[in-house]
Amino acid sequence: MEAYYNCLHCMNKRVRIMTTDGKRHEGIIVDVDRNNVYLKTKGNGKLKTSAFTPYGNYYGGYYGYGSEILTLSLFTLLAIALI
């Protein structure tokens, strides 16, 4: 529950998230629900098999070209920091 409230506090801010498996992710928190945090990351044109894009990538609009939405389970979050 603490991770949920920390993510809510960081909504629309640039963060660095570390997960329990040691991976680090940077981006802007665009949404959070009781199970997941949705992180807008800067895409590099490569397919990321660990990323789920529930909103899809499209040209223009809020997410913009080349960005991806990475879905991370709140249960795997180890640390979150504003950057």
Side-chain angles (χ1 to χ4, degrees), residues 15-27 39 41 48 70 72 78-79 81:
V15 297
R16 180 177 296 130
I17 294 177
M18 179 185 271
T19 56
T20 54
D21 61 2
K23 294 182 181 177
R24 296 172 191 250
H25 306 279
E26 289 187 15
L39 192 67
T41 62
K48 297 173 91 175
L70 180 65
L72 299 170
L78 182 61

Side-chain angles (χ1 to χ4, degrees), residues 44-81:
N44 58 5
K46 296 180 183 177
L47 178 63
K48 297 173 91 175
T49 57
S50 63
F52 170 68
T53 55
Y55 306 106
N57 294 334
Y58 60 90
Y59 299 88
Y62 182 73
Y63 299 112
Y65 174 72
S67 62
E68 298 174 351
I69 303 298
L70 180 65
T71 303
L72 299 170
S73 170
L74 290 178
F75 302 108
T76 65
L77 298 189
L78 182 61
I80 184 168

